[in-house]
Amino acid sequence: MKPMPKDFLWGGATASFQFEGGFGEGGRGLSTHDFETDGSPEHPRHHTLKLADGSYGEAKSSFFNPDDIPDGAVPCFYDGCYYPSHKAVDFYHRYKEDIALMAGMGFNVFRFSITWSRIFPTGEEETPNEEGIRFYLDVIDELEKYHMEPLITICHDEMPAALADKYDGWSSRKVIDCYLKLCRVLFERIGSRCRYWLTFNEVNAVRGYASCGTRKADNQTHYQAMHHIFLASALATKMGHEMMPGSKFGAMYALSEIYPATCRPEDMMRHMQCRRETLFFIDVMARGYYPSYTGDIFERRGVTLKKEPGDDGILAASPLDYVSFSYYRSCTVSAESNFNVIGGDPNPYLQSTPWGWPIDPIGLRYVMNEIYDRYQKPLFIVENGLGAVDTVEADGSINDDYRIAYLKDHLREMQKAICQDGVECLGYTMWGCIDLVSLSTGEMRKRYGFIYVDMDDKGNGTLERRKKKSYDWMKEVIATNGACLWDDIPEE
């Protein structure tokens, strides 16, 4: 195998509401994810809130009043419900320890996200919360100490709850100005200390209250909100290029691969439609215009997009510099499939994780070629990994050989795409490099990291960090720039 590019970026990725914690501290306001419970049967998950009468209702920014929180308290529980994002795994207080552990593996990049309400508690303040900015500057100081660069996601599936309450989130154009105010502060204060920025996370999967701030689930609201996000991303990219010459802007997409179930023409046609519906979001943001098939999607979904004069020019003027994506699995589709961005039908040729996610390393190479061929822009793999139950042995060791096997197979396919197929890829950040709260289930039991966090699904535990077997394995991968991935392959 040809060697990897010498400037390839190796690291890990996290999201603030799953990792950071620090709820009610440092002037942080309420986020739309603060209302999600742990997902246990008695506490339904996703945009739920236990009301005084015991029923579940809509989240309101007045529900958790930070002024009522005693100093130093971590209000993870309310009326018997556990809210994991309030504490997460406490990066807010442990960032120095965590960054040192990442550096011990040889990371040269760390992807993290900004909690919008930590900078602007309601999203509409005239001046930013200095204590919130200081936290992220301290994080960057610590990264620089270890020669590790930040990869910053500006908006990772969350927003100030006050903007969701007042404007119904991204369904309103007014939120664009609030977002750009956040961007301007970040670009002014962080500036050239960050080369690579992500405007939004998994844009093609954003929907509903927690990630989009909208209370309506209809297609008209969804695609109108997406149009506002497209504009916000383009305007942020333009601003970033002007304020930080040389900076690069991308957005992140969920790009698990899709295969046609058979070569039946009806299945092939359905496959093309499903892939277009996923890639539609990148087409707009990376190419700078709505693709020709947009009319078909909108007609089938009953959408009439409302644009203002100049919107198309904004999109055309500032397309993305690179395309980043998450890759975890693949699926199949047939003419009869009920497909969404998260997945379709299972593939009979693949094994699955304990959570039912098909394991398909070759699919990563496929999607890298597919996306690079389509856009001819650099790629950045910013999420990939295996969620599994890890066991701490009597001697304290955590032998996650299954994770090593998963990552080895995927990284080999990544290297083939780069070194054999000629795909330009900037780097790879493994998801949840330190154990964090699962987005899809609200659990700690579903672990991804190289580093174990002593905490259970209800937040009990010491929060002690402990290296897994995969930690030293990944350290060797990074030290050899991927060369050791082929040590057990006989030479031809």
Side-chain angles (χ1 to χ4, degrees), residues 204-456:
N204 54 340
V206 168
R207 196 161 192 148
Y209 179 83
S211 59
C212 199
T214 58
R215 300 183 185 280
K216 298 177 183 177
D218 63 284
N219 288 324
Q220 177 65 38
T221 300
H222 172 63
Y223 281 99
Q224 192 64 50
M226 290 302 101
H227 180 64
H228 298 154
I229 283 176
F230 295 158
L231 294 172
S233 178
L235 290 167
T237 298
K238 179 177 183 294
M239 181 193 298
H241 287 161
E242 292 172 351
M243 296 179 66
M244 305 175 295
S247 58
K248 301 297 182 183
F249 283 80
M252 197 276 238
Y253 307 89
L255 282 185
S256 296
E257 193 49 73
I258 308 169
Y259 304 120
T262 73
C263 55
R264 183 173 59 136
E266 291 84 355
D267 291 350
M268 294 298 295
M269 194 67 196
R270 178 60 173 152
H271 167 262
M272 183 179 73
Q273 283 184 329
C274 291
R275 201 52 171 162
R276 278 178 166 177
E277 289 179 7
T278 299
L279 299 181
F280 159 80
F281 303 85
I282 319 179
D283 280 352
V284 176
M285 299 174 78
R287 291 173 170 172
Y289 57 87
Y290 279 85
S292 58
Y293 60 81
T294 299
D296 174 60
I297 292 177
F298 285 0
E299 183 176 353
R300 285 188 286 109
R301 300 195 172 190
V303 174
T304 302
L305 199 65
K306 298 175 183 177
K307 292 183 181 179
E308 290 188 1
D311 282 2
D312 288 339
I314 291 171
L315 298 178
S318 301
L320 301 175
D321 300 313
Y322 66 97
V323 176
S324 71
F325 62 94
S326 62
Y327 178 87
Y328 293 102
R329 54 186 172 175
S330 65
C331 68
T332 67
V333 292
S334 69
E336 296 75 32
S337 292
N338 181 18
F339 172 80
N340 60 44
V341 171
I342 302 302
D345 300 325
N347 188 329
Y349 298 98
L350 300 176
Q351 295 182 329
S352 296
T353 72
W355 275 264
W357 291 23
I359 300 173
D360 181 12
I362 294 175
L364 175 57
R365 181 182 181 183
Y366 189 105
V367 78
M368 290 176 70
N369 277 275
E370 176 189 27
I371 299 305
Y372 191 64
D373 286 352
R374 191 177 184 99
Y375 303 110
Q376 291 294 295
K377 290 177 182 281
L379 308 183
F380 207 136
I381 304 168
V382 296
E383 286 188 27
N384 171 244
L386 175 68
V389 177
D390 296 329
T391 301
V392 181
E393 305 295 343
D395 63 358
S397 63
I398 302 162
N399 300 309
D400 57 340
D401 296 282
Y402 39 85
R403 183 168 290 108
I404 292 171
Y406 175 99
L407 293 173
K408 179 186 287 186
D409 290 344
H410 282 76
L411 292 176
R412 282 174 174 170
E413 297 302 325
M414 177 191 77
Q415 193 166 352
K416 289 177 186 177
I418 296 169
C419 301
Q420 290 182 200
D421 305 335
V423 173
E424 184 180 0
C425 185
L426 301 169
Y428 172 93
T429 55
M430 194 273 272
W431 174 248
C433 48
I434 298 175
D435 288 345
L436 41 64
V437 177
S438 169
L439 166 64
S440 58
T441 64
E443 299 171 295
M444 276 301 293
R445 187 171 65 99
K446 184 182 182 183
R447 298 175 181 270
Y448 284 88
F450 300 116
I451 298 161
Y452 185 90
V453 176
D454 179 31
M455 192 174 85
D456 66 14

Side-chain angles (χ1 to χ4, degrees), residues 20-35:
E20 185 177 290
F23 176 91
E25 297 186 62
R28 177 192 184 280
L30 287 167
S31 165
T32 48
H33 267 285
D34 288 337
F35 304 98

